[in-house]
Amino acid sequence: MIRSVLILVVPIKGWQTISDQSWNVLLVFFASVAPILLAGCALEGWAMNTFGAQKGGLGRIIFLDPSKVMMLELIQCALGVALLFLGSKMIQWICSSFHEETTYKQAFNLTAYGLTPVLWMRFLDAFPMVPSWFCWGMGAVGITYVLYHGVALILQPNTSIGFGLYLVTCFTLIALSGMAHFLAQGFAYGNFNI
């Protein structure tokens, strides 16, 4: 968890620390990403039960059934885990399309720590007066910020393709996190029936 804050404050030092670590995928997941994911979902669920949730752009606050809030947070956790593991595989495929040999561990480190701004913004999303789209948008801006040094230090691509790989990686993670956010919000407000 400390490393995810470190890459937001001092990105070069944070990514160097991450690239020097010899943690495997599960250790990175359980020690660094899962606590943020679970704490964000727990806080958001508690806040939705306590303060309600904003629906629409006019600041209308609604209260959802507690069982629906619990289901929403379980869906958000499941989508977050799927986003991490499947997104990492997509990043690995993208790197191979750029003719860069990348291990799944490198792709997972980049994806896990690259998505932490979206996960941290979920804490702000707990308050109904802050629009959910704004929180996700700030997380998307954070993705572009942290990945700028992350792609270079974790994947270590050839300099001729480094910036292109950065752009495609940013677009992929922002698109995947946006889809996950859209699906979770759609369920919360009754747009989808599960």
Side-chain angles (χ1 to χ4, degrees):
M1 247 172 60
I2 302 291
R3 289 176 175 89
S4 66
V5 173
L6 196 59
I7 63 171
L8 291 170
V9 179
V10 273
I12 294 175
K13 183 177 176 160
W15 283 111
Q16 284 174 340
T17 303
I18 292 166
S19 69
D20 292 341
Q21 76 186 9
S22 60
W23 291 5
N24 65 19
V25 169
L26 291 178
L27 187 56
V28 169
F29 175 71
F30 285 115
S32 295
V33 182
I36 302 168
L37 179 68
L38 293 175
C41 286
L43 178 67
E44 187 179 26
W46 172 81
M48 286 178 89
N49 279 330
T50 306
F51 305 119
Q54 184 179 31
K55 183 174 183 176
L58 301 175
R60 191 176 80 182
I61 304 295
I62 61 168
F63 285 90
L64 298 171
D65 182 35
S67 64
K68 196 170 200 173
V69 172
M70 178 66 113
M71 182 61 95
L72 166 69
E73 296 308 324
L74 288 173
I75 287 172
Q76 286 213 42
C77 281
L79 287 171
V81 171
L83 177 64
L84 286 168
F85 286 97
L86 297 175
S88 299
K89 194 61 181 171
M90 285 186 73
I91 297 300
Q92 187 180 19
W93 289 334
I94 288 168
C95 290
S96 68
S97 72
F98 277 85
H99 303 291
E100 285 292 319
E101 292 297 322
T102 304
T103 65
Y104 185 76
K105 179 182 164 187
Q106 288 174 309
F108 186 83
N109 278 339
L110 185 72
T111 303
Y113 290 108
L115 286 173
T116 55
V118 171
L119 299 178
W120 282 115
M121 282 290 111
R122 200 170 284 165
F123 288 93
L124 184 61
D125 199 16
F127 303 102
M129 69 283 299
V130 181
S132 183
W133 63 265
F134 177 77
C135 296
W136 174 81
M138 292 301 296
V141 169
I143 287 173
T144 61
Y145 172 71
V146 299
L147 284 181
Y148 185 74
H149 295 291
V151 169
L153 293 171
I154 298 295
L155 301 180
Q156 300 174 349
N158 187 345
T159 55
S160 63
I161 61 163
F163 190 68
L165 187 58
Y166 159 73
L167 290 176
V168 173
T169 301
C170 286
F171 176 75
T172 302
L173 292 183
I174 289 170
L176 290 174
S177 68
M179 287 185 344
H181 184 77
F182 170 76
L183 288 173
Q185 293 300 311
F187 171 76
Y189 299 116
N191 298 336
F192 309 121
N193 290 325
I194 296 180

